[in-house]
Amino acid sequence: MKSKIIELLTAHVEGLTAEEINTLIEIPPKPELGDFAFPCFRLAKTMRKAPQMIAADIKDALGDVDFLEKIDVQGAYLNFYINKSIYVKTMLDTALCPGYGNSDIGEGQTICIDYSSPNVAKNFHVGHLRTTIIGNSLYKIFSKLGYHVERINHLGDWGTQFGKLIVAYKTWGSKKAVEKDGIAELMKLYVKFHAEAEKDDSLNDDARAWFAKMEQGDEEALSIWQWFKDISLVEYKRTYALLGMEFDHYTGESFYRDKTQAVIDILKEKNLLTESEGANIVDLEAYDMAPCLITKKDGSSIYATRDLAAIYYRKNTYHFSKCLYVTGQEQKLHFAQVFKVIELIGNDWAKDQLVHIPYGLVSLEGAKLSSRNGNIIYAEEILTDAIAKIREIIEQKNPDLPDKDEVAKKVGIGAILFHDLYNQRIKDVSFRWDKVLNFDGETGPYVQYTYVRCASILRSLPDFKPDTDIDYSLITDSASMELLKELVRFPEVILAAAEKYEPSMVARYTIAVAQAFNKFYNDNRINVEDASLRTARVTLVYITGRILRDALELLGIECPEQM
Ligand code: ARG
């Protein structure tokens, strides 16, 4: 509507471009003053006329405009009142088009999203599930807005912990046990190492020596490490497959091991590196931060060094306009330091292109969730448990449902994802099965169920075809109006979610749509005699279903057609 007004004014006002008019147009502070206002002060200068007179002249020149109820002159302002029924029709006609909510604002721009990134030889726990789910949703949201997205899994696959693991494996491990139990066995070895190193510090020296060997390219060290990594990846990929998620790059920390020296050289050249007790640091005191450690006493690189190298690599390879990092909030300082170092080197873009996206902790309520394997909570286990629980409910309530396994998978996974995304990401999530799986609360199954209801109404009316020739003025009751209001918000919700990196906005929107729809459905018969009214109502059902399906898709959740 705003662009239509801009178009009108551009045609009738001399001396201002469409862009200038765009910046001048205001939203009036009170609804009584209309939906948009155009101030004439600026024209008064160039036209040497009182702004009130100019406003009146423009109003006369515009005459009657079909999409406006009226135009008023109020002092120096022209106030525009949108014709609501035409507005609704325009919006809903757009909502009917395939790809409603898509945009091209991101065209030609690349966004890197660094997410999931589990630590090799450690279990994929519920915390990593959150970064995976949030990162995947951001990928979908930005893709819908036309951005090209690179999905990067920055695996924790390098560092002194692998020296420890090699020592533990060589001292207490067996090939058979690792082959049989995978990550669980590697974790046991790791725990054993720490217990033993408490008593015998020389183990730590051995571990450092093995990591040094890895950094120097020693064949034996690298082949054991690669084996641990392969074993871990098999398990991680099983979880990704369950979630239906993929990555474009598995470039973990080890990928940057030959790229850190170049960063160290730049830091030296820029005089940013200081020696401190044998280690090399970048002093960040001027910015109220602890120093950023670059190399340890023994010369080995660390997490931060590899992140610095990764930023250079990604900038030069993908030419990102933003690089996002989805991790727990406990890494806030780490990213603040790394981003600051990049900026201090002279990369001004670091300030707005590198973005840390933190999230809160996951806690587990209720004894049922404690894992069969001790107190470690594997993400995979939660997902398969959710699927099994839904499968049971289906068996009880709807045993004749076709594709029961497929439906249980979509609903079970959907329940977990939705629960994780429903609250602002910075909030802690407390996990409770009865909340996650509730079909009536603010949950994934509730939204999916509402979608299924739309789908079933449409199946019962096979003659319906989406068409723009619809008289929405027949729709007047308040429940329908509330639903309309929600349906037209979809595009702005996606934009806002992208701007705030906040998938919860999309999740909350699906609940608002589902609730408005269920009220509408409760108050109105769909299959009425009057053909025009029936078509208008069915169209609302159709648009609702599509929006719910597409919005859930932005969260990484699939909709079954029946459940
Ligand atoms: N592996 C890290 C962890 O599990 C997360 C890595 C995040 N990405 C990064 N570029 N530092 O905590």
Side-chain angles (χ1 to χ4, degrees), residues 478-499:
S478 69
S480 305
M481 291 316 275
E482 285 307 310
L483 176 61
L484 285 174
K485 264 197 214 154
E486 290 300 337
L487 298 181
V488 302
R489 277 176 57 215
F490 191 35
E492 70 191 64
V493 168
I494 303 171
L495 284 168
E499 199 181 293

Side-chain angles (χ1 to χ4, degrees), residues 114 116-119 128 154-156 253 303 307 314 325 327 331 334-335:
D114 173 318
S116 195
S117 313
N119 296 318
H128 282 122
H154 190 80
L155 292 168
E253 292 184 47
Y303 185 50
D307 258 328
R314 291 171 190 172
Y325 297 80
T327 79
Q331 296 196 37
H334 163 76
F335 285 109

Side-chain angles (χ1 to χ4, degrees), residues 1 13 70 78 97 146 157 232 237 265 323 344 367 391 407 423 440 468 471 474 485 493 508 511 517 538 544:
M1 286 291 156
V13 174
K70 61 172 179 175
L78 269 172
C97 301
D157 63 357
S232 306
K237 284 189 179 168
D265 292 344
C323 184
L344 289 177
R391 184 72 175 73
V407 176
N423 290 307
D440 299 317
T468 52
D471 186 357
L474 299 171
K485 264 197 214 154
V493 168
R508 292 197 169 238
I511 294 289
F517 175 81
V538 184
T544 304

Side-chain angles (χ1 to χ4, degrees), residues 371-401:
S371 153
R372 292 179 281 268
N373 322 324
N375 51 9
I376 306 151
I377 311 296
Y378 286 78
E380 190 179 1
E381 199 178 306
I382 286 196
L383 297 172
T384 49
D385 279 0
I387 297 171
K389 282 175 198 290
I390 295 288
R391 184 72 175 73
E392 248 167 60
I393 298 176
I394 295 176
E395 208 55 68
Q396 282 164 20
K397 297 203 173 160
N398 194 359
D400 300 327
L401 181 76

